[in-house]
Every structure is written in C-alpha cells, then in structure tokens.
Amino acid sequence: MKLNFRVLVFAAAILFGVVFSIPSLLQTDKGTKITLGLDLQGGLHMLLGVKTEEAVSSRLKAIASGINHFSEREEVLIDGLTADDESVRFTLLDNDDAPAMDKMLAGIEGSKVVHDGESYHVSLTPEAVLKTQKQAVDQAIETIRNRLDQFGLAEPTVARQGVDNILVELPGIKSAEEEQRARELISRAAKLELMAVDEERKMRAYTMTSAEAARFGDVVLPDAEKAGGKYLVREIPILDGSMLTDAQVAFNQNNQPVINFSLNSEGAQIFGDFTGKNVGNHLAIVLDGQVYSAPVINERIGGGHGQISGNYTVEQAQDLAIALRSGALLAPIFMLEKRSVGPSLGADSIQASLIALIGGFVLVFAFMIVYYKMAGIIANIALVANLFLIIAVMAMFGATLTLPGMAGIVLTVGMAVDANVIISERIRELLYQGVSIHKAIEEGYANAMRAILDANITTLIAAIVLYVYGTGAIKGFAITISIGILASMLTAILGTHGIYEMLESRIAKSKNVSFWFGVSNKKAAA
C-alpha cells in the first residue's frame, strides 16, 4: 500500500468532518453547531401586512418638512403649509420668490406641482405612489431583518409574500415573554420626529380639538409619560428619523436608562438651524406619535445629537435603541396570521427523520456490502465521510437544518451511493472483459465520470435556483443539497479513487476480484 494525494485529501476531509460535526451531533456547549429550523425546534410563524397607503402620507410629510426648511433657510415667505394623505399645500407670500421655489420643487423626485397664482399644490405622480408603496414593503423587510439580527435570534426568516405581505418565522421562540418581546420589536414603528411646540397656542392643548388644531397647522399629541397629558405641536416636523445614524443606550445622572441619538450631516444642519432660531422655545421629541419630552431650547445645538428619556427598563431601552438603529418603518405593519409551532412537534419530527435516515443508511450499507463486497465497504466509508462533511460545513456556516433539509441529506446520500454504484459497475464491466486491475479501476472512473458529473451538476444548478427564488424551508433544502453534492464529489469520487489506488497492488496480488468487487472469478477470467 502506498499513500497518494487523493487519500491524503480524503483523510483530511474525514478529520475535518468529524471534528466540526461533533458539537452538532453531541449538542455540546462549545463549538459551532447547526441551527435547527422552526419545524424542528419550534418557534413563531407570522404573516404580516403593510399599510402601504400610510407610506405615501409619510412621504408627503417629508416633502412638507423640506419645503419648510427651505423657506426658513432661504428666507422665502410662505403661509398655511399643510400636508394630508394626498398632497402638500401652501401659499407663497412674495411672487419674487417664485423662481427659487419652483426650482426647489422641481428637484423633488416624483412630484407633481400645480400652482394657481400664489397657491401651491404638490402631490406625487401615480408612478411615484406605486414606487413609494413598494419601497415601504422592501424597507419593512429590511428593517425587520435588521431588528431580529440585533435581537440575537438565529436564522430568522423574513421574506415578501405576495404583493404587500411579509412572512416572518422565528425559530427558538419558546416562552410567551419571548414571543411578546419579539412581536413588539417587529411591529414597533420607531418613527422619531422632532417637532416644534406651538408657543402661541400651547396653553390650549387640553381644550383644542384635532380639527381646530388642524386649522392652525397644528396637531395634538399625547404625553408618553403623563397620563392625560397633551402637547400642541406644529404638524410639519422639523426632521424625522430618516436622518438618524445611531442610537445607543446610556444612563442619566439618576442612573436611569436613556437613548442618545445622532443625526447625519443634513439632519445636524437642520437641527442646528432650528435650535439657533428658536432659543427659548420648546422642542418636542416625538416617538411613534407620542411626546417623550419637550425641553426648552437654551442655545443652538450643533453636532446633531439628542436624547430620548423616559421611564424605561434597561431591556426596553435596548429594544428601542435597536428599533431606532435599524430604521423606522415607512408604514405600519399589522398581523394577518400567527401560529406557534411547539417544540414537541419538532422533537417528533427529528425522531421520525432520524429513524428514516438511520434505516436508509443500514439498508444501503447492507446492500452495498452484499452486492459489491469490499467495493461496497469502501463506498460506505465514503458515505459516512459525506455525512460528517455535510454536518460540519452546515455548522461552520451557521446554516439552519429544517425537516426538508433532513430530506435533502437522505437524498444526497442516495446520490452519493449512486455515484459509487456507477463506478463499481464500470469497473466490473471492464473486469468481465478481462482487463487488468489497474486498467479496470482507471478506465472505470474515467467512464463513470461523465454520467456522475452530468447528474451532480444539473442537480446543483436546480439547488441554486431553489436557493435564489425559494424561502424558508426551501432554502434549507437547497443548502443541504448543494453542500451534499459538493461533499459527494469529494468523497465518492476522489476519496474512493484514492483508496483503490492505495490498495491496487494488494488487489492485483490477491487476484480475488469476487472478494474485492463482487465479480465472479470465472466470468472475470473468461
């Protein structure tokens, strides 16, 4: 026997597979392990809807904020600036400013501007409305995914379903408290707005109706801390959370958790300009439609930093910081369907799948040994190595194992066996033709290679397509199949070939092809 590079690579692959699959097989505390999917360890399945029409309203409010900031910065006098669900309206007080205002409005993408003399009416084109609604769903998917990643959940599934629905699957959610916390984190809009308090009418906040406030361009918002408390603030925000770049939990002088936030350069400029012109007035910090604080502006605040204080626990402050960092939802989301998958169902599924996997292995092992003798044992060694490699690679990449994924492992085992069956049959055919052991092995592998590559490559392409266009468990199936095919190419082709090369002299010396390949010595000799 002599070693060759194929055997050395095969031995290294087995060693790698065994070492990195042990944490998953033994469920040890140390080492990277395969993450079990929703169907195997239980968890939460949710189907969410997105109120895309409110994204359009938010976009119009943002346009109104931009017009307001432009008018203050360029000293363009406007009056009656309002924004509703369909348009932004205002009146230009000086016609000499019309060219500047027209130029500014022309730079707003997707806007349609109509003005009759001094009255301006800004709305979105139908194409811009559709684009905004689509962006609301895309952004909600990205925001939810970011929040869940920061929440520490392993392998959550967040994917679009239909036009404006979102599928969320959270494996590992077992208690009602975990479920509630995850639901609040997902559904929280985390819409931060900095709004000016209406200093002239603020004392009427408790008596003014919403309709009356709207006539002055104001809105009445509740106090987040004080039950029954109200604030009268300007309807058009100074800026919103889209300009926020960071949010971190800190502690104030009373050791209470607060959230410090930072704005981007544009937000910092707007924030600095506003505070510089409104010293002595109140600035309302509004989160999800509630006023958390309304401090007096003592001086111009540069640098674009602010703070949200409230009666938070540390956990609540951390969740809020996560929600702010991951971005506000452009449109609210709502629950369409919720289903909890119990861990007992997953345990039953695991047990049934393991029985199928072990049963399949035993039958394949027995058949290969009975029919192909030593060649069958060599093929079985490749099968075991293949299984270890699949588990090890999945664990290293933190892949999720689902029930379809386990089916993918069984299917891969079948394909690996099929490759060795093709190789063994080619070798047997050549031995029947009376060729030498060396030539039978080399030409057997060469003749079988094309059929094996065709089958594996086409299956790999199908798996890649499934991964790209599939979601959830389908992706898990595609990952398992892809890893299994690559592992099979390494073990069933390269590994077994190396073993035959290593044993070639012993096989030739024994001249007992029946023992090595299950071939009748008489037929082979003939």
Side-chain angles (χ1 to χ4, degrees):
M1 289 194 301
K2 62 178 182 179
L3 296 176
N4 56 75
F5 84 95
R6 290 188 175 94
V7 166
L8 293 176
V9 172
F10 185 50
I14 293 177
L15 183 63
F16 167 83
V18 171
V19 169
F20 286 96
S21 60
I22 283 177
S24 299
L25 294 174
L26 302 181
Q27 288 298 300
T28 58
D29 293 331
K30 294 183 178 178
T32 54
K33 296 189 285 288
I34 289 178
T35 303
L36 298 181
L38 184 71
D39 50 358
L40 294 181
Q41 66 167 320
L44 187 62
H45 165 103
M46 293 183 289
L47 184 63
L48 308 172
V50 182
K51 295 181 179 178
T52 54
E53 66 278 5
E54 295 201 21
V56 178
S57 177
S58 296
R59 171 82 194 283
L60 289 168
K61 268 193 174 181
I63 291 175
S65 295
I67 294 172
N68 190 45
H69 180 246
F70 171 78
S71 68
E72 291 181 356
R73 188 186 65 201
E74 302 297 329
E75 297 183 347
V76 174
L77 298 179
I78 63 172
D79 188 34
L81 177 64
T82 60
D84 55 28
D85 295 340
E86 296 180 352
S87 63
V88 177
R89 298 171 186 273
F90 63 92
T91 301
L92 188 66
L93 298 180
D94 188 348
N95 273 333
D96 292 341
D97 294 327
M101 180 58 76
D102 291 342
K103 184 179 178 181
M104 183 267 174
L105 295 176
I108 300 175
E109 185 182 356
S111 65
K112 185 171 69 175
V113 181
V114 177
H115 61 93
D116 179 13
E118 299 167 343
S119 298
Y120 278 73
H121 180 192
V122 183
S123 59
L124 295 176
T125 63
E127 294 79 13
V129 170
L130 289 175
K131 184 178 178 182
T132 302
Q133 292 175 334
K134 182 177 181 301
Q135 283 177 338
V137 180
D138 292 340
Q139 192 257 6
I141 292 172
E142 189 63 29
T143 297
I144 292 172
R145 189 175 288 138
N146 289 340
R147 289 180 183 179
L148 293 176
D149 285 346
Q150 296 188 46
F151 188 63
L153 285 173
E155 293 293 324
T157 297
V158 184
R160 179 192 290 268
Q161 191 161 85
V163 178
D164 53 7
N165 294 336
I166 301 172
L167 172 69
V168 179
E169 289 186 344
L170 307 176
I173 297 287
K174 293 182 174 64
S175 66
E177 292 75 18
E178 287 178 326
E179 177 183 328
Q180 180 66 23
R181 189 181 173 198
R183 287 178 58 185
E184 288 179 355
L185 186 64
I186 290 171
S187 61
R188 186 162 205 169
K191 186 177 181 182
L192 176 68
E193 293 174 303
L194 302 184
M195 308 177 82
V197 173
D198 187 337
E199 298 292 339
E200 187 179 345
R201 304 177 186 84
K202 63 183 179 185
M203 301 307 293
R204 298 173 59 189
Y206 288 87
T207 58
M208 192 176 284
T209 64
S210 297
E212 190 178 358
R215 287 203 296 272
F216 297 107
D218 292 338
V219 62
V220 179
L221 296 180
D223 189 322
E225 300 297 320
K226 180 181 174 185
K230 295 180 180 178
Y231 286 89
L232 186 67
V233 300
R234 305 299 297 175
E235 180 188 10
I236 305 301
I238 301 161
L239 53 84
D240 59 30
S242 63
M243 299 176 186
L244 186 141
T245 57
D246 192 21
Q248 297 290 340
V249 176
F251 293 88
N252 61 16
Q253 63 274 19
N254 298 320
N255 206 30
Q256 289 292 314
V258 297
I259 296 106
N260 290 333
F261 63 85
S262 303
L263 301 168
N264 62 17
S265 58
E266 183 185 0
Q269 179 66 45
I270 296 173
F271 193 47
D273 290 347
F274 175 81
T275 52
K277 293 178 181 177
N278 289 274
V279 173
N281 294 335
H282 291 79
L283 172 70
I285 298 176
V286 182
L287 185 66
D288 293 341
Q290 293 184 309
V291 179
Y292 276 73
S293 60
V296 175
I297 302 169
N298 294 317
E299 59 183 350
R300 183 183 187 278
I301 304 174
H305 300 290
Q307 186 178 88
I308 304 172
S309 58
N311 190 23
Y312 305 117
T313 63
V314 174
E315 188 177 77
Q316 288 171 334
Q318 288 172 341
D319 286 353
L320 178 56
I322 289 172
L324 287 169
R325 278 201 304 271
S326 59
L329 294 170
L330 289 178
I333 59 176
F334 58 97
M335 187 75 69
L336 288 171
E337 176 188 327
K338 181 180 79 71
R339 186 172 73 247
S340 294
V341 180
S344 59
L345 177 61
D348 293 342
S349 301
I350 292 174
Q351 187 177 14
S353 301
L354 284 178
I355 290 173
L357 190 62
I358 294 171
F361 253 90
V362 170
L363 290 175
V364 168
F365 269 48
F367 171 79
M368 293 298 288
I369 293 173
V370 169
Y371 194 75
Y372 292 108
K373 309 297 182 186
M374 277 301 293
I377 294 176
I378 293 172
N380 288 339
I381 293 173
L383 274 185
V384 174
N386 190 17
L387 186 61
F388 276 117
L389 270 180
I390 294 173
I391 296 172
V393 173
M394 290 184 70
M396 282 195 69
F397 286 99
T400 300
L401 180 63
T402 61
L403 208 51
M406 294 187 78
I409 293 177
V410 176
L411 178 60
T412 303
V413 167
M415 293 183 65
V417 171
D418 186 55
N420 278 125
V421 166
I422 294 173
I423 293 168
S424 297
E425 285 300 322
R426 296 290 181 272
I427 293 174
R428 284 159 62 113
E429 287 172 4
L430 291 165
L431 290 174
Y432 283 136
Q433 294 171 15
V435 302
S436 66
I437 295 293
H438 173 76
K439 190 173 181 181
I441 291 173
E442 295 304 317
E443 291 193 6
Y445 270 90
N447 294 338
M449 194 59 67
R450 184 169 181 177
I452 295 171
L453 287 179
D454 285 349
N456 281 282
I457 290 174
T458 51
T459 307
L460 185 61
I461 292 172
I464 292 172
V465 173
L466 276 179
Y467 181 81
V468 172
Y469 293 101
T471 59
I474 301 297
K475 278 184 181 285
F477 178 76
I479 290 173
T480 309
I481 287 285
S482 302
I483 295 173
I485 288 173
L486 296 175
S488 171
M489 302 281 275
L490 177 65
T491 58
I493 300 174
L494 187 141
T496 57
H497 195 174
I499 294 175
Y500 282 128
E501 284 185 340
M502 186 177 70
L503 299 174
E504 190 178 307
S505 60
R506 176 171 292 188
I507 298 172
K509 189 176 179 181
S510 74
K511 297 182 180 178
N512 187 354
V513 290
S514 174
F515 172 75
W516 287 99
F517 298 102
V519 176
S520 168
N521 287 322
K522 291 181 179 178
K523 288 183 179 179

